[in-house]
């Protein structure tokens, strides 16, 4: 079981964990994984490598990928380019350049 919360819930309800576990994780399947005999490789001098592979030259990549998350590459609409970054507007009067806390105008009558 990979999820401890699921394991705890199954134990509290007295259910069989085998019914909720994938076949891949059951012990008899894991044992079958190691039944196959893996022969070791012979000495490097005995390897039979085709000539087209042994003569092929592998070069390093032309460029390195920069670290970090890639930057967004979207085309900004003309309106967004003309307005600039952030335009603060007062909630009370709608004037640009300040917010309602720093507004010097009289409050609106309701």
């Amino acid at each position: 079981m990979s999820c401890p919360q699921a394991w705890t819930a199954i134990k509290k309800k007295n259910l069989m964990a085998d019914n909720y576990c994938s076949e891949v994780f059951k012990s008899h399947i894991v044992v079958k994984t190691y039944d196959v005999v893996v022969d070791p490789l012979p000495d490097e001098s005995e390897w039979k490598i085709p000539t087209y592979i042994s003569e092929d030259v592998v070069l390093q990549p032309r460029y390195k990928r920069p670290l970090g998350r890639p930057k967004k590459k979207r085309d900004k609409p003309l309106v967004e380019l003309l307005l600039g970054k952030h335009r603060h507007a007062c909630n009370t009067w709608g004037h640009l350049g300040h917010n309602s806390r720093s507004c010097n105008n009289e409050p609106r009558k309701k």
Side-chain angles (χ1 to χ4, degrees):
M1 292 293 253
S2 60
C3 178
Q5 290 88 0
W7 179 254
T8 304
I10 290 170
K11 283 173 80 178
K12 279 190 178 182
K13 293 191 176 205
N14 295 324
L15 300 172
M16 292 295 296
D18 287 346
N19 298 337
Y20 299 93
C21 185
S22 174
E23 290 291 323
V24 177
F25 299 110
K26 293 186 179 178
S27 60
H28 65 278
I29 300 295
V30 174
V31 170
K32 281 186 180 180
T33 304
Y34 297 102
D35 280 348
V36 180
V37 177
V38 178
D39 295 323
L41 287 172
D43 191 274
E44 192 173 342
S45 61
E46 298 176 19
W47 291 357
K48 296 177 183 174
I49 302 172
T51 55
Y52 70 91
I53 292 177
S54 62
E55 293 174 356
D56 195 17
V57 178
V58 179
L59 300 175
Q60 64 183 6
R62 291 185 182 183
Y63 64 92
K64 288 186 179 181
R65 197 176 129 250
L67 295 175
R69 186 183 179 123
K71 298 198 179 201
K72 290 182 183 178
K73 294 180 181 175
R74 72 175 181 95
D75 294 328
K76 293 182 180 179
L78 182 63
V79 175
E80 195 173 325
L81 292 171
L82 294 176
L83 284 178
K85 291 217 174 195
H86 298 286
R87 309 258 345 212
H88 298 285
C90 175
N91 289 341
T92 310
W93 293 99
H95 295 197
L96 296 175
H98 67 276
N99 58 24
S100 58
R101 282 188 184 170
S102 61
C103 184
N104 294 330
N105 299 327
E106 294 179 22
R108 263 192 196 177
K109 295 179 182 177
K110 293 182 180 182

